[in-house]
Amino acid sequence: RYGLGDPEWEDLQAAVDFAVDAGAADVAFVGWGMGGTAAAMFLHESTDARLVAGLVLEAPLFDPGAVVDAHAQAHRVPGFIAGWAKGLATLRWGTDWGALNQVDRADEFEVPVLLFHGDADTVAPLAVSERFAAALPELVRFERCAGAGHGGCWNADPAGYETAFTNFLVEVAAGPAAEADE
């Protein structure tokens, strides 16, 4: 059973604890799909969120409720059935769809984000990533990947992906003060 990023963020907590015990001063998360939600939930839930220097995310499930709705619509499942299924998930497993909706929680983000999303993604709606990026233009660098499916941005343009990824991590590692000095 998946928790759609909550409680999977606790796995990231264990990794951060390990890194800090090994001497790390900060961390950067890289995640795709549900891993993006787990990284976001870490930022909301962990007392160690201050250690996160940046996020690199590909096709994150930033609104799992929208994913359920989109798949229901694609398969011609009536909306009330999708709503019933989400309600059942809340009752049975405690799924908090509002807490998982990162677009609605965009104002809680304080770290830079490199966001990749393919325009041929049939799993995680591209529109959700576009709304998230639009809500945080000062923090989010959005890379829309032409022809890429879910998690396929690197495959669509390896050189472009690696350049954006490397540049972002160098900037995050150097920090804003070091960039201003250059």
Side-chain angles (χ1 to χ4, degrees), residues 19-176:
V20 169
D21 288 347
D26 58 16
V27 297
F29 291 150
V30 179
W32 64 275
M34 191 180 72
T37 312
M41 293 303 292
F42 179 94
L43 292 175
H44 303 313
E45 302 295 335
S46 175
T47 58
D48 290 327
R50 72 193 183 293
L51 298 176
V52 179
L55 302 175
V56 178
L57 306 174
E58 182 167 344
L61 299 181
F62 268 164
D63 184 358
V67 172
V68 171
D69 294 340
H71 285 278
Q73 184 177 19
H75 296 287
R76 300 178 186 218
V77 174
F80 75 91
I81 302 239
W84 178 82
K86 289 191 290 188
L88 182 61
T90 299
L91 290 173
R92 175 66 175 93
W93 297 292
T95 304
D96 184 344
W97 300 97
L100 293 170
N101 184 335
Q102 304 310 311
V103 177
D104 288 351
R105 298 181 77 176
D107 63 335
E108 297 176 37
F109 284 78
E110 298 177 356
V111 300
V113 178
L114 174 57
L115 176 57
F116 294 98
H117 206 126
D119 63 8
D121 191 334
T122 60
V123 176
L126 173 64
V128 174
S129 284
E130 290 172 333
R131 287 195 314 269
F132 181 80
L136 292 170
E138 68 285 355
L139 288 177
V140 177
R141 183 174 308 153
F142 184 61
E143 298 285 336
R144 182 184 178 125
C145 307
H150 187 63
C153 286
W154 181 86
N155 299 73
D157 181 10
Y161 189 102
E162 291 173 12
T163 297
F165 187 95
T166 301
N167 290 342
F168 179 79
L169 288 182
V170 166
E171 291 169 17
V172 168

